[in-house]
Amino acid sequence: MTKGEGIFFWIAVAFYIGSVFFYIAGAIFRKERWCGLATGITLAAFTAHTTAIVVRWISAGHPPIMRNYENALAGSWLIILIFLLLVWRFRSFAIIGASIVPIILLMLGYGIMNFPKLEPLTPQYQNIWLYVHVIFAWFAYGAYVIAFGLAVLFLLKERKDREYSAGCGDPALQGAS
């Protein structure tokens, strides 16, 4: 890991931690504004995360597809991208950030604990089919995490129907299903 990559990585982690706080607080105290703030913080984290990936790519000379750290870094980036696109399209889905962003933090934590050393691509990784495989694997993993977040949203909606308010995006939760 280069110094620049490390700086942007830890900035992203700090912003993700802050966004988790605001997502959970927004859900508990039923403050939509806090969920909007959390989404803004998540967008800032995503920007720092993107910059860390670009610095890694330039430093290594290849896309981040080798080893656990690079897969965690790029896979978590794709999950956040899908989440932000979903929230941009359906603002009431911001509540799922309370379940998705902690998963991102766990993924990044797992990745950083697994040897983030810069290495050139070895010959077995220099195949176009590897890129196809990795991209589809990231999309599949992202779809699973987003489905998990939507399942949490559905459970919160069901609970709200039984006299409990879910918090973020409350008025629009009726149209979420």
Side-chain angles (χ1 to χ4, degrees), residues 114-153:
N114 283 291
F115 201 56
K117 184 178 132 180
L118 282 173
E119 296 177 344
L121 275 179
T122 56
Q124 64 264 29
Y125 287 107
Q126 296 174 358
N127 187 335
I128 189 66
W129 290 110
L130 176 71
Y131 296 107
V132 172
H133 164 76
V134 168
I135 289 170
F136 278 105
W138 286 338
F139 272 110
Y141 195 67
Y144 286 131
V145 172
I146 297 298
F148 168 76
L150 289 172
V152 169
L153 179 66

Side-chain angles (χ1 to χ4, degrees), residues 16 19-20 23 35 38-43 46 75-102 104 142-143 145-147 149-150 153 168:
Y16 285 137
S19 71
V20 167
Y23 278 126
C35 288
T39 302
I41 294 170
T42 303
L43 186 59
F46 177 75
S76 60
W77 178 85
L78 185 68
I79 293 168
I80 288 293
L81 175 66
I82 294 169
F83 165 68
L84 289 172
L85 290 173
L86 188 66
V87 170
W88 175 68
R89 177 66 177 94
F90 305 102
R91 292 218 186 266
S92 63
F93 284 8
I95 185 78
I96 67 174
S99 60
I100 290 176
V101 179
I104 296 306
V145 172
I146 297 298
L150 289 172
L153 179 66
C168 304

Side-chain angles (χ1 to χ4, degrees), residues 46 49 53 56-57 63-81 104 107-108 134 138-139 141:
F46 177 75
H49 195 160
I53 289 174
R56 177 78 177 191
W57 193 326
I65 59 169
M66 279 184 47
R67 312 273 184 255
N68 290 334
Y69 170 71
E70 291 183 353
N71 279 311
L73 187 67
S76 60
W77 178 85
L78 185 68
I79 293 168
I80 288 293
L81 175 66
I104 296 306
M107 286 178 67
L108 291 175
V134 168
W138 286 338
F139 272 110
Y141 195 67

